[in-house]
Amino acid sequence: NGPSHKAAFMETIAKAVERDLLVVAVTQCHRGSVQLSTYEVGQRLMQIGVVAGGDMTTEACVTKIAYLCGRGLKGKRLRDAMATNLRGELTLAEAEENVALNRDLRL
């Protein structure tokens, strides 16, 4: 979780999202996943527009961003694609609900 007591941190993240920059929350834990809705700070990050990286590793997240940006995705399409299981990198149940979105993105 990000530091909820540091207003400058949250403001910086909010400004990045307002500039249409992609911000993804990932975990460094070997097991588990990012679920922004669980804690107060996560809920605030979600409201700001941070994408939950689910159970993606940091390496998978960076690779996925590079791939999607290389395909020309930006803004909402990029954020939607990051929350979508494309090649097995995201195994959360909600990722399965995004299969139709994956087809729509043609990735």
Side-chain angles (χ1 to χ4, degrees), residues 3-37:
S4 60
H5 62 283
K6 295 191 177 183
F9 172 78
M10 298 300 277
E11 289 172 18
T12 300
I13 298 298
K15 286 178 184 176
V17 173
E18 286 172 13
R19 292 178 51 212
D20 211 22
L21 296 175
L22 175 66
V23 179
V24 182
V26 295
T27 183
Q28 294 179 337
C29 297
H30 294 289
R31 293 193 174 138
S33 64
V34 173
Q35 296 177 354
L36 294 179
S37 61

Side-chain angles (χ1 to χ4, degrees), residues 26-82:
V26 295
T27 183
Q28 294 179 337
C29 297
H30 294 289
R31 293 193 174 138
S33 64
V34 173
Q35 296 177 354
L36 294 179
S37 61
T38 303
Y39 299 103
E40 178 186 351
V41 68
Q43 292 171 5
R44 288 173 51 202
L45 289 169
M46 196 167 52
Q47 290 170 348
I48 290 170
V50 172
V51 176
D55 62 346
M56 274 191 290
T57 63
T58 302
E59 296 82 2
C61 183
V62 170
T63 302
K64 186 173 185 176
I65 292 169
Y67 170 76
L68 295 171
C69 288
R71 306 267 311 170
L73 272 69
K74 296 178 183 175
K76 182 176 179 347
R77 287 194 71 213
L78 177 58
R79 288 188 299 278
D80 289 347
M82 284 302 297

